[in-house]
Amino acid sequence: MAQKSIQQADEERLVGTDRVLAVLTELARLPSGASLEEMVRLTGHPKPTVHRALASLKRAGLANQNGHGHYILGDEFLRLAFAHHEARPEHIRVRPILERLSERFNETIHFAVLDGPDVVYRDKIDPQTGAVRLTSTVGGRNPAHCTGVGKALLAAKLTTFEDVSHWIGSRVLERRTPRTATTAHDLHEQFTEIRRRGYAIDDQENEVGINCLAVPIYLASPSIPSGAVSVSAVAYRTSIADLEAAAATVLATAAAGTAQPREQA
C-alpha cells in the first residue's frame, strides 16, 4: 500500500481536530454533562471517534468524568475561560458600570456585543436579593432584533430603511412573543426612536414577562458602540414606564463609566 501523502496526512489531522472541537463545543452546552452514548448521538460521529476525542480532552484537562461516568467540562477549560474573560480590557472597564447599576436597581444587569444577527452576553450580574434571576448566561446568545441590547446596537449601525432591509435580507425574523417586531418597517421606526432618545427598550419582546432598558457604551470610539448594557426586570414588578423613568440614570452611569481620564497638563 502506498504511503499517504503529506497533504493527505495534514487533511486527516485537520478532520480529527475538527471532531475534537465539535465534541468540546457540544460538551460545553451541557452543564450536567453527558454519557459517551449521548455524545455520540449529539455529535453524529462514530463512537470510537467520540471516545478518542474525549480521551484527548481529558488528557488536556479540558474534560473530566464525574461520579456517574458522565463527561463534563474540565477545570482547565474553566480556568482558561475565566482567566481570559477577567483579563479582557472591556471587562475591566465595563464591570464597574454593571456593579453600579446592580446596586442602584437590584435587577439583572447585562453587557452584550453584536455578533451578526445575534447578541452575545459578555458579562452579567444577578440581583443580590429578592429579585428574580434570569436564565441568560455569559456566552449565551439571543436574536438582536428583539432584545434591548441588540436594538441599541442595531440602531447605531442601521441608520436607514435600506440598511435595515439589507440586514434582514431573505431571512424571516423570529417572532419570540406577540410584541416582537419582525419587519423592516417596524424595526426602522424603532431604531429611529432609539437614536432620538438614546436608549432602547425590550417590552416583553424577547420573553413574556421580562422587559429591559439598554444603552450603548463607547469604549474605543465616540461614535461606534463597543457594546450595550441593560437593566432587565420582571414586568409584574418593574414596568417599562418605571425603567424609562430611570433612563437618565442608566445613561449617566454608562457615560461616566466609559469616560476617558484627562491627561495631566
Side-chain angles (χ1 to χ4, degrees):
M1 182 182 293
Q3 288 186 334
K4 294 178 181 178
S5 68
I6 294 176
Q7 181 178 357
Q8 286 175 317
D10 287 343
E11 288 176 352
E12 288 187 4
R13 281 194 293 271
L14 179 60
V15 170
T17 302
D18 287 344
R19 287 175 177 170
V20 172
L21 291 174
V23 170
L24 178 61
T25 300
E26 201 61 53
L27 194 60
R29 304 180 198 275
L30 306 167
S32 299
S35 66
L36 175 59
E37 288 71 21
E38 288 172 321
M39 291 301 298
V40 169
R41 177 177 56 81
L42 290 168
T43 62
H45 296 319
K47 187 173 182 177
T49 299
V50 176
H51 189 266
R52 286 195 297 270
L54 289 167
S56 295
L57 293 171
K58 285 179 64 180
R59 285 194 297 271
L62 302 178
N64 285 322
Q65 277 181 285
N66 62 21
H68 301 286
H70 277 51
Y71 290 90
I72 58 175
L73 287 179
D75 292 338
E76 181 63 11
F77 179 92
L78 300 175
R79 185 191 69 78
L80 291 170
F82 283 114
H84 176 72
H85 176 65
E86 295 289 337
R88 282 186 172 188
E90 66 178 25
H91 175 83
I92 294 170
R93 294 184 62 188
V94 172
R95 187 70 179 186
I97 298 173
L98 305 190
E99 291 171 346
R100 284 193 286 272
L101 291 174
S102 178
E103 291 172 2
R104 165 64 176 78
F105 293 97
N106 193 38
E107 297 287 0
T108 301
I109 313 298
H110 293 107
F111 168 58
V113 298
L114 196 62
D115 185 18
D118 300 329
V119 290
V120 179
Y121 298 105
R122 290 279 181 86
D123 203 354
K124 173 189 177 183
I125 296 181
D126 284 312
Q128 295 298 313
T129 58
V132 175
R133 294 172 184 266
L134 306 186
T135 57
S136 54
T137 60
V138 175
R141 291 173 174 266
N142 264 320
H145 70 278
C146 59
T147 57
V149 284
K151 291 193 292 181
L153 297 173
L154 288 175
K157 182 178 181 181
L158 311 176
T159 57
T160 68
F161 177 80
E162 290 72 22
D163 290 339
V164 180
S165 297
H166 180 73
W167 180 78
I168 295 174
S170 60
R171 293 180 296 137
V172 176
L173 298 183
E174 180 182 2
R175 188 179 295 278
R176 284 283 181 95
T177 79
R179 301 188 182 191
T180 307
T182 59
T183 68
H185 176 269
D186 289 344
L187 287 172
H188 175 58
E189 284 193 342
Q190 287 194 14
F191 296 163
T192 300
E193 181 65 10
I194 290 167
R195 287 190 295 273
R196 183 191 68 80
R197 65 194 177 195
Y199 64 85
I201 59 172
D202 161 12
D203 187 5
Q204 302 186 59
E205 298 160 46
N206 183 58
E207 184 178 351
V208 174
I210 303 297
N211 53 35
C212 82
L213 182 142
V215 302
I217 59 172
Y218 302 87
L219 300 176
S221 164
S223 58
I224 302 174
S226 304
V229 297
S230 68
V231 179
S232 300
V234 289
Y236 73 78
R237 185 182 60 247
T238 305
S239 68
I240 278 293
D242 292 333
L243 288 176
E244 289 198 83
T249 298
V250 181
L251 285 162
T253 302
T258 56
Q260 295 287 351
R262 292 186 178 183
E263 294 184 3
Q264 297 294 325

